[in-house]
Amino acid sequence: MPKTSIDPESAKKIVQIKEQFDFESGHLRPPSKNDQGIFSKCTNYQAPAQAKNLGIYPYFREIEETGSSHVVIDGRDIVTISSNNYLGLAKDSRVIAAGRDAIEKFGIGCTGSRFLNGTLSLHRTLERNISSFLGREDSIVMSTGFQANQGTISCLLGRQDVAFSDRENHASIYEGCAIAQGKTLRYRHNDMDHLEHLLQKNSQVKGKLIITDSVFSMSGDIANLPEIVKIAKNHGASLLVDEAHGMGVLGDNGRGACEYFDVEKDIDIYVGTFSKSLGSIGGFVSTKKNIAEYIRHKASAFIFTAALPPASVAGVLEGLDILATDSKRRKRLHENTAFIKRAFFELGIQVNNNLVPIVPIQIGDEALTLYMNRLLFDDGVFAGVAVSPVVPPLKAMIRTSYTSAHTKEDLDKILISFEKNLKKIGVLPQ
Ligand SMILES: Cc1ncc(COP(=O)(O)O)c(C=O)c1O
């Protein structure tokens, strides 16, 4: 095995980071006797300040301009691999024109909730189009995908019901389960034996709902939907699938992992978002008419919040039409994904070989990961970063994601920077 070594300048910096950044809690200062009140946790929360002082703070970067695969930050043109704009629709000229027309016709907001005064004909058109695209009876457009999960799960999961939820599911699923009246049991990530075991132990429960992301947002793993469907049938459980990262990306027609595995008719509730492949904001739930009617009248996260603004709805309507009819973008996305995964693999980095354009680069150590993220940024590469508690301790990663809009030059630049800096910090051999 070739030996790895860390370059002296990086080694010095990493020692400094480890000494000065408290990865465990971010609470370096012991709480003072005079400050025990509600805000003492804020006073003692030092992690962001420590990271900023060390130059490794990766969050809330101010973007001055956006392109499809580039952004401008601090006046520098930077290639981004932290966006979920998988099909490049966020800046598509037809999408922008549709949004502009809607702003002129309806203004910038709906000034109320869908329930009372905020439902435009545009919302209903989008709901009909989503239902027809997915082959479902009814759909409800909500203000975010987060709210679609939270609202749907919390109103469906009654006192006597039990949810069976993958441990890597999105935070919005956790939140929905947390505020629901029913109980939630978490099965180990994509572990079908564990799911089956939990269902067996709860065979007396009448209302059982299995909940899974179709594509997991950090690992890029695809849920084992064929097996989950089988297990659900065997145990009389219903199934909710969050296709946030599947829609537009997987399936011959872009309907997601459910289409890819040919299990669409076995999914009871399909949740989606407009903030990934559709490049906008908003979310939805698609299901049978009677279930949708119930959610429409019971989900607090839908009823007690302002409706999705006209420009977003119109932009998504146009984007959905492109997503459904223009398979070239998806093909290009898959080509870019295959190219980058092969290149990382050839560099000696462990990646899976599925079609998902989320490619986590596992580094493990938090200090190394944050420093690596900074080195990439200095090279003009804007990547995401996931450290504990988003991922378990010592499982820190650079989260990279790709779009149909990335060019060969973009991908080459990204690879050069990764290779150079992974060698620098001793993750790859010199
Ligand atoms: C798997 C998953 N579900 C739901 C959401 C929430 O989507 P939105 O951005 O529309 O709130 C996200 C977004 O991060 C996600 O990754």
Side-chain angles (χ1 to χ4, degrees):
M1 279 271 283
K3 270 217 165 114
T4 60
S5 63
I6 187 162
D7 88 316
E9 187 201 337
S10 299
K12 222 166 94 192
K13 184 71 190 174
I14 286 160
V15 168
Q16 189 195 14
I17 294 171
K18 284 184 190 272
E19 280 171 1
Q20 294 180 24
F21 191 78
D22 178 7
F23 289 102
E24 287 296 301
S25 62
H27 294 230
L28 268 192
R29 285 201 224 144
S32 108
K33 279 215 172 64
N34 306 328
D35 189 7
Q36 303 274 325
I38 183 86
F39 301 124
S40 59
K41 57 181 86 62
C42 315
T43 316
N44 293 318
Y45 182 48
Q46 295 297 305
Q50 290 165 2
K52 283 174 196 173
N53 283 342
L54 289 160
I56 52 165
Y57 184 74
Y59 308 121
F60 300 103
R61 291 199 192 280
E62 287 181 40
I63 296 169
E64 290 138 22
E65 285 175 43
T66 57
S68 289
S69 61
H70 285 237
V71 290
V72 174
I73 299 178
D74 298 335
R76 292 163 63 216
D77 179 79
I78 289 178
V79 59
T80 174
I81 43 170
S82 59
S83 141
N84 299 312
N85 180 25
Y86 300 128
L87 300 177
L89 287 172
K91 295 281 288 207
D92 182 272
S93 55
R94 288 162 291 176
V95 169
I96 293 169
R100 190 180 291 128
D101 288 350
I103 273 208
E104 277 171 11
K105 190 162 170 199
F106 295 103
I108 58 163
C110 296
T111 68
S113 126
R114 289 285 312 275
F115 197 56
L116 292 174
N117 64 315
T119 294
L120 303 174
S121 50
L122 274 179
H123 290 106
R124 290 299 294 146
T125 306
L126 179 55
E127 288 173 346
R128 279 191 292 275
N129 289 8
I130 292 170
S131 300
S132 123
F133 172 61
L134 295 176
R136 302 207 163 242
E137 288 181 12
D138 202 357
S139 301
I140 310 167
V141 166
M142 304 209 189
S143 299
T144 64
F146 194 104
Q147 286 161 303
N149 271 328
Q150 194 199 46
T152 300
I153 295 167
S154 61
C155 81
L156 285 179
L157 198 65
R159 205 176 293 282
Q160 311 295 331
D161 304 325
V162 177
F164 300 83
S165 175
D166 187 293
R167 275 200 196 148
E168 249 191 46
N169 276 343
H170 188 255
S172 51
I173 293 176
Y174 271 74
E175 296 270 330
C177 291
I179 59 174
Q181 293 190 327
K183 193 161 85 172
T184 298
L185 300 171
R186 299 194 179 95
Y187 59 93
R188 287 190 288 273
H189 174 53
N190 246 340
D191 184 336
M192 298 298 104
D193 290 340
H194 194 210
L195 171 61
E196 179 122 52
H197 170 72
L198 292 177
L199 280 156
Q200 263 157 5
K201 267 180 68 179
N202 288 274
S203 56
Q204 79 293 353
V205 174
K206 293 209 171 63
K208 299 188 268 288
L209 180 66
I210 301 174
I211 306 175
T212 185
D213 288 1
S214 70
V215 171
F216 293 88
S217 54
M218 287 293 154
S219 61
D221 291 346
I222 304 179
N224 187 349
L225 288 180
E227 200 55 37
I228 293 176
V229 163
K230 231 188 272 169
I231 293 174
K233 280 187 182 160
N234 286 343
H235 292 272
S238 302
L239 181 51
L240 182 154
V241 176
D242 176 359
E243 285 274 22
H245 295 272
M247 186 169 140
V249 171
L250 296 177
D252 287 348
N253 300 287
R255 295 198 296 267
C258 304
E259 182 191 6
Y260 176 75
F261 286 121
D262 194 17
V263 293
E264 287 173 282
K265 61 180 185 332
D266 301 305
I267 310 301
D268 299 286
I269 302 175
Y270 184 121
V271 174
T273 174
F274 307 140
S275 73
K276 321 277 182 218
S277 284
L278 285 157
S280 181
I281 184 165
F284 70 90
V285 49
S286 269
T287 183
K288 289 221 165 67
K289 234 180 180 45
N290 64 330
I291 305 175
E293 196 66 347
Y294 182 81
I295 297 169
R296 199 175 269 122
H297 292 87
K298 294 285 182 188
S300 303
F302 173 62
I303 296 171
F304 298 105
T305 195
L308 191 67
S312 304
V313 186
V316 170
L317 259 170
E318 188 66 31
L320 183 62
D321 193 43
I322 299 171
L323 184 155
T325 53
D326 176 6
S327 60
K328 285 199 295 292
R329 286 174 190 252
R330 200 159 27 263
K331 188 162 171 278
R332 178 113 191 88
L333 172 67
H334 290 161
E335 284 165 4
N336 279 349
T337 302
F339 175 86
I340 203 84
K341 285 190 176 183
R342 172 173 290 276
F344 275 130
F345 178 75
E346 282 167 2
L347 278 181
I349 295 165
Q350 208 185 339
V351 287
N352 67 32
N353 65 353
N354 68 25
L355 294 171
V356 173
I358 300 166
V359 187
I361 307 298
Q362 297 285 350
I363 295 185
D365 181 274
E366 266 92 359
L368 274 186
T369 308
L370 289 167
Y371 181 56
M372 174 71 189
N373 193 257
R374 170 60 199 259
L375 293 174
L376 291 167
F377 189 73
D378 289 346
D379 278 353
V381 176
F382 179 24
V385 61
V387 293
S388 161
V390 174
V391 290
L394 295 179
K395 296 263 184 216
M397 61 160 88
I398 305 285
R399 181 193 184 272
T400 75
S401 52
Y402 301 88
T403 73
S404 59
H406 281 105
T407 62
K408 174 77 172 43
E409 290 70 42
D410 293 335
L411 300 178
D412 284 343
K413 176 174 173 170
I414 293 158
L415 287 165
I416 289 168
S417 177
F418 264 98
E419 182 173 9
K420 181 182 92 183
N421 292 311
L422 286 172
K423 283 181 175 166
K424 208 168 173 180
I425 63 167
V427 169
L428 288 179
Q430 290 285 348

